[in-house]
Amino acid sequence: MRAVFDRKLNQLRQSFEAMGLAVNQQIQAATQAFIDHDKAAAQLLIDADQATNTAEVNLEQQALELIVLQQPVANDFRTIISILKASSDLERIGDHAVNIARETINVKGNTRLPEVEAKIAVMAGKVRTMLIQMLKADLSLDATAARNCAQQDRLIDQLYQAIRQEIVLANQATPAASLASTSYLLVIRLLERIGDHVVNLAEWIVYSVSGEIVDLT
Amino acid sequence: MTAIMTSTDVHLAYGAKEALHGFDLSFKQHEISALIGPSGCGKSTYLRCLNRMNDLLPDVTITGTFKLGAQDIYAAKVDVVTLRQRVGMVFQQPNPFPFSVYENVAFGLNVVGHYAKADLDQRVETSLKQAAVWDEVKDHLTENARTFSGGQQQRICLARVLAAQPEVILLDEPTSALDPISSAKIEQTLLTLKANYSIIIVTHNLQQAARISDQTAFFLNGQLVENTPTQQIFIKPQQKTTSDYLNGKFG
């Protein structure tokens, strides 16, 4: 019985890790397409999002089956619940990446602001670094690393405020870029929200390790 | 909440072989406390210390202090029959006497004292109602208690214990011989009874401990590993050994 449970729990962990890596790839591709004005790449990404949604549904099914059939408690229970909750955050991150891809298509062909796009690229890079670090903390069940990593969200929030200000000013100087500016505002907002979901991942790592429900935002 | 029973530095040996190795454990009033652990860990042995059932075994040595309220239950002046009336017990196998349902429950009452017939009738009915079996047996009170189903027999036994008006009810795996529906009836009954009684239950059914108990004590190899509020032990036990046992890694 125990061997079956261990194997299934291991499968669940692997599915979660695979989903994390796939979502990380989605943000990378979405922001790259946005910066490169690559409409085709953006469309590919939008079409591929169904895979992330299916992955999340499969993962939920595996987790719920484990809970009902094996009735885990204590640390095994916390592991499964954490994966279940964290997978929702990953799925939302995937949705945000898709929305960034949609903005690529919206803004294509309009007047743009290269200096703002460079800043957005920097912000996207920081969000991805944070997500990668958080996925590593999850792999090693390192609650301290997760808490430290969550701190980076403050920097993301500061960047969001600074770039937002910059977009407003740049738009005043170049009114023709107003459509692009609206997209930029939306994209940095999405990146900021992704940062918040990465913080949620940290909260589930802490719960899995210690049983404490914390608010790290 | 005040403790109804306390035990300190509990040691018990069968001949030269020690089965309980020295621990403290107490139980709160009007709570359900569950004792869990693998077979042979000492939980039933410990439970039987609480109403001196082990006294009947040859060559058993029990040391430590066991108190019911402020009273030392192993003191020389203690009347064991009175103790077992105050600390009643329900066993794994339903063990009604080969008498009628009525006589089984009245037997518990006669332990306490003699009652007029009308009083006796009333108390038998109350006890069977408290044990949630009245509706099923009220028209068959004169029938042999052993003709009823296992789940009904177990509740008749519970009624027999309740008739003696105990303060504490000990149960040693009371539902392990019962189907899930009968088990659920017993569990529901215990949850109702805890308003007026203090309940200590040995169970191998971890979900049962999780469902009904307020406090869970985990025993292993004659030691108490931890005694923790139930909602905590099943989410975040204090000891890794407990987590391993709860998830079936041994035992």
Side-chain angles (χ1 to χ4, degrees), chain B residues 47-64:
Chain B
L47 188 78
R48 288 196 296 268
C49 291
L50 298 177
N51 73 345
R52 296 184 51 174
M53 294 291 285
N54 290 321
D55 288 14
L56 308 170
L57 300 173
D59 206 18
V60 67
T61 314
I62 302 166
T63 61

Side-chain angles (χ1 to χ4, degrees), chain B residues 116-131:
Chain B
K117 177 78 170 87
D119 282 349
L120 207 55
D121 288 352
Q122 186 54 50
R123 298 289 291 277
V124 166
E125 181 177 333
T126 305
S127 302
L128 287 165
K129 278 181 175 164
Q130 279 186 305

Side-chain angles (χ1 to χ4, degrees), chain A residues 73-165:
Chain A
V73 291
N75 59 343
D76 288 343
F77 173 78
R78 299 200 311 272
T79 302
I80 296 171
I81 287 296
S82 302
I83 290 177
L84 193 61
K85 298 287 283 184
S87 68
S88 303
D89 284 303
L90 286 182
E91 195 267 334
R92 291 308 305 277
I93 293 174
D95 286 347
H96 292 333
V98 167
N99 288 331
I100 293 173
R102 291 214 168 93
E103 287 312 307
T104 305
I105 294 166
N106 284 345
V107 85
K108 178 83 177 165
N110 287 281
T111 307
R112 308 182 69 137
L113 300 166
E115 67 283 6
V116 171
E117 290 183 357
K119 294 275 170 58
I120 293 178
V122 170
M123 185 180 177
K126 292 204 182 302
V127 169
R128 277 191 59 218
T129 305
M130 191 180 162
L131 175 62
I132 292 168
Q133 285 179 8
M134 197 61 82
L135 291 172
K136 278 186 186 156
D138 182 77
L139 260 184
S140 52
L141 289 175
D142 187 339
T144 311
R147 281 174 185 273
N148 289 339
C149 181
Q151 299 275 333
Q152 293 176 35
D153 190 47
R154 290 193 192 146
L155 183 71
I156 308 279
D157 290 348
Q158 286 166 7
L159 265 176
Y160 168 69
Q161 293 297 345
I163 300 174
R164 189 167 175 270
Q165 197 60 30

Side-chain angles (χ1 to χ4, degrees), chain A residues 2 71-78 207 210, chain B residues 207 233-237 243 246-249:
Chain A
R2 183 67 210 174
Q71 305 185 349
V73 291
N75 59 343
D76 288 343
F77 173 78
R78 299 200 311 272
Y207 177 72
S210 70
Chain B
Q207 269 68 42
I233 204 168
F234 284 95
I235 299 275
K236 175 81 173 110
S243 180
L246 294 177
N247 281 306
K249 292 182 187 173

